[in-house]
């Protein structure tokens, strides 16, 4: 684990806001950035990535690459391409990820990996780890099927942790404060 880590926490209350967060995050990203997304099914990983794609100005609809594993979205504006990977079905760790040649794409692209925990950390000492957690418990309203009030169902807590020197400039902290 690299020596430097910077963390910011953000509350997101709707899918549109998750997409907005992705657009804002895209403004901080540059070629060579590795972004790992962690969260349960339906937490908003692909919605966040869709916003990143919009912010980077890439071609093509950003959808879950579950069945193709990886999808490349070239830039329409001369910026970095977005490489969107869904590692959910990959269980071979970095060996299996190496077959995707992410190390070749990484220097010139922004690589976003859903379900990348314990699979892609070795690609870069500098990375951004985004954890998306659903709200839990009953907020006093009428509870839905899972015991979560309907208005709470869309609420997420997003924790961004930047590892390495790349993320020590205060940009994540500023994003957290601006997005509140």
């Amino acid at each position: 684990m690299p020596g430097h880590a910077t963390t910011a926490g953000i509350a997101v209350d709707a899918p549109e806001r998750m997409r907005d967060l992705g657009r804002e995050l895209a403004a901080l990203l540059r070629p060579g950035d590795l972004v790992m997304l962690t969260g349960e099914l339906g937490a908003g990983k692909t919605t966040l990535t869709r916003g990143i794609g919009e912010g980077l100005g890439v071609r093509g609809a950003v959808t879950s690459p579950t069945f193709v594993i990886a999808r490349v979205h070239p830039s329409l504006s001369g910026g970095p391409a977005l490489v969107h990977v869904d590692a959910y079905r990959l269980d071979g760790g970095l060996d299996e990820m190496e077959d995707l040649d992410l190390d070749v794409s990484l220097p010139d692209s922004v690589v976003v990996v859903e379900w990348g925990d314990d699979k892609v950390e070795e690609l870069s000492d500098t990375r951004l780890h985004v954890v998306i957690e659903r709200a839990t418990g009953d907020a006093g309203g009428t509870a839905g099927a899972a015991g979560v009030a309907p208005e709470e169902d869309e609420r997420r807590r997003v924790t961004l942790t930047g590892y390495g020197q790349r993320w020590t400039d205060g940009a994540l902290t500023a994003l957290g404060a601006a997005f509140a």
Side-chain angles (χ1 to χ4, degrees):
M1 181 90 36
H4 294 92
T6 303
T7 300
I10 298 171
V12 176
D13 60 2
E16 298 79 25
R17 292 291 289 157
M18 186 67 76
R19 203 165 171 172
D20 291 345
L21 176 59
R23 284 199 273 308
E24 294 292 325
L25 184 56
L28 303 180
L29 298 174
R30 58 186 186 217
D33 281 342
L34 172 64
V35 181
M36 295 172 39
L37 303 181
T38 301
E40 64 186 38
L41 288 170
K45 295 179 299 297
T46 300
T47 301
L48 180 72
T49 305
R50 190 170 294 122
I52 292 171
E54 290 171 5
L56 292 175
V58 299
R59 185 181 70 206
V62 175
T63 60
S64 179
T66 300
F67 297 104
V68 294
I69 310 297
R71 193 172 272 129
V72 177
H73 298 275
S75 174
L76 294 172
S77 61
L82 170 65
V83 178
H84 185 198
V85 179
D86 186 330
Y88 182 77
R89 295 185 308 139
L90 302 178
D91 56 3
L94 190 59
D95 290 340
E96 204 166 0
M97 295 301 287
E98 283 179 351
D99 292 340
L100 298 175
D101 287 332
L102 293 180
D103 54 337
V104 173
S105 300
L106 188 59
D108 301 317
S109 307
V110 170
V111 176
V112 176
V113 182
E114 297 184 26
W115 306 99
D117 293 9
D118 300 323
K119 297 176 184 173
V120 297
E121 289 89 343
E122 293 177 29
L123 286 174
S124 178
D125 286 338
T126 300
R127 64 186 174 279
L128 180 62
H129 190 186
V130 180
V131 178
I132 305 171
E133 299 172 297
R134 289 179 183 262
T136 57
D138 187 356
T142 305
V148 176
E151 65 275 8
E152 298 287 316
D153 190 45
E154 298 300 329
R155 292 185 58 207
R156 305 289 191 265
R157 178 76 181 156
V158 180
T159 304
L160 302 115
T161 304
Y163 293 98
Q165 189 66 35
R166 157 78 174 92
W167 296 104
T168 60
D169 64 0
L172 289 180
T173 305
L175 175 63
F179 207 81

